[in-house]
Structures are given as C-alpha cells and as structure tokens.
Amino acid sequence: MIWDRTFRTAVTIGVSLDGFIARPDGDIEWLTTRGEAAGDTGYEEFMAGIDTLAMGRNTYEKVLTFGFWPYEGKRVVVLSTTLTTDDPRVTVYRSLEDLLAGLTELGAKSVYVDGGRMVRTFLREGLLDELTLTTAPVLLGSGLPLFGALDEDVELTLREVKALGGGFTQARYTVG
C-alpha cells in the first residue's frame, strides 16, 4: 500500500551477525556489553536529527527497564492494540493508519522507527526511507529477528560501510 506522508523515517539498530536484535527472552546484554568497544556509532548525531520515535509495545516495555528515559525532548509514539498506560511521555495508537495520521497531525518531520516488529511493518508497507545496521561480532543462534517474511523484495541502496572498533561494522542503506 502507498501512504502519503510528510515525514521521513529511519532506523538505526544493533544486530548480531546472524540477524537477531535480542535473545529469545528479549535480553540485549550480548550487545550492551560489547557496544562500548564499537566506539562512535553515530547514534548521537542520528538522534539530533530525530524529532519523533515510533516503536511497538515490546520495545517500549524494554526501554522502561533501562532505569532512565533515553528520549528526553523527543516525541514518542507507540503502536499497540493492547498497551494501556498513563505515561505522559508517550502517545499510544491502536492501528498503523492511526499512527501515521497522528504523526502527520503532530507535525513529525524525522521519525526513528525502533523495534523488530515495527521495522518489519514499515518495510512491508513501504514506509521506511533509511536503514542503518550496526552489526556486532557475535552469533546468537536464535533470538528475536530483525527481519522476517515480506510480500515482495525490498530494494536497498548501500550508502556507506564502516569498520568500527571491537569488530563491529556499520552499513547505511536507503530503502527503495
């Protein structure tokens, strides 16, 4: 489906070499313990250009375990059919259509799409503009995958590849 939108979307995400964003139980310790070795991944610069974050319930609930709110000063929207929260830092939408309309109404310009299911949804619907993968030098064997089944091929154009510290690599693509 083609959506008319007034904002750009981007993903920046850490992934294991075998394509997982977390262990089966959602644990990301394998990434956080290695992450410092990567050095500057460009995350701060990326976030400086973002005004809104869009995530699913699982990612939102994971962020709540961090012990701090990493998105101060940013608008955060959550796509979930089941989440009930009185958290004033987020706005919950029940459908993708409502979320997209809400982003437009809120005047979003640059949206960070976060979480495996959200990334897959935005890819499947042709809503993702840029994808940056920071790959950790580890094989997990199983876990929560970043990518999944698609209805058709998603063409990517490689824009940049970097070798980071600690064996990490980073690839930035435009989508479509």
Side-chain angles (χ1 to χ4, degrees), residues 2-10 49 51-52 75 97 99-111 122 126-127 129:
I2 301 297
W3 301 88
D4 185 28
R5 57 193 167 99
T6 58
F7 51 87
R8 304 242 341 125
T9 59
D51 58 52
T52 306
R75 183 183 305 116
E97 294 81 10
L99 182 138
L100 295 171
L103 290 173
T104 300
E105 289 170 17
L106 293 168
K109 298 290 180 221
S110 186
V111 179
F122 272 62
L127 294 167
D129 298 310

Side-chain angles (χ1 to χ4, degrees), residues 25-168:
D25 64 359
D27 177 62
I28 58 171
E29 170 273 335
W30 59 271
L31 180 61
T32 58
T33 58
R34 290 174 173 83
E36 193 173 303
D40 182 10
T41 62
Y43 182 77
E44 297 299 325
E45 182 181 346
F46 172 81
M47 285 301 288
I50 295 296
D51 58 52
T52 306
L53 286 94
M55 63 184 68
R57 179 185 54 83
N58 290 337
T59 302
Y60 169 69
E61 289 176 347
K62 184 66 175 178
V63 169
L64 292 178
T65 70
F66 292 170
F68 67 97
W69 186 249
Y71 308 125
E72 205 59 50
K74 306 290 184 186
R75 183 183 305 116
V76 179
V77 298
V78 179
L79 177 60
S80 174
T81 59
T82 59
L83 180 67
T84 55
T85 181
D86 57 3
D87 187 340
R89 300 171 298 191
V90 302
T91 303
V92 178
Y93 292 96
R94 300 292 180 207
S95 71
L96 182 61
E97 294 81 10
D98 289 346
L99 182 138
L100 295 171
L103 290 173
T104 300
E105 289 170 17
L106 293 168
K109 298 290 180 221
S110 186
V111 179
Y112 173 9
V113 178
D114 196 16
R117 290 175 70 184
M118 283 291 282
V119 170
R120 289 189 297 274
T121 296
F122 272 62
L123 276 171
R124 189 173 43 256
E125 297 296 327
L127 294 167
L128 197 58
D129 298 310
E130 184 175 295
L131 174 65
T132 301
L133 300 176
T134 302
T135 304
V138 61
L139 299 170
L140 299 181
S142 67
L144 304 177
L146 176 56
F147 301 113
L150 295 166
D151 298 330
E152 58 188 41
D153 292 353
V154 174
E155 296 294 328
L156 304 173
T157 302
L158 182 63
R159 295 295 180 205
E160 181 180 22
V161 176
K162 295 193 271 192
L164 303 174
F168 281 76

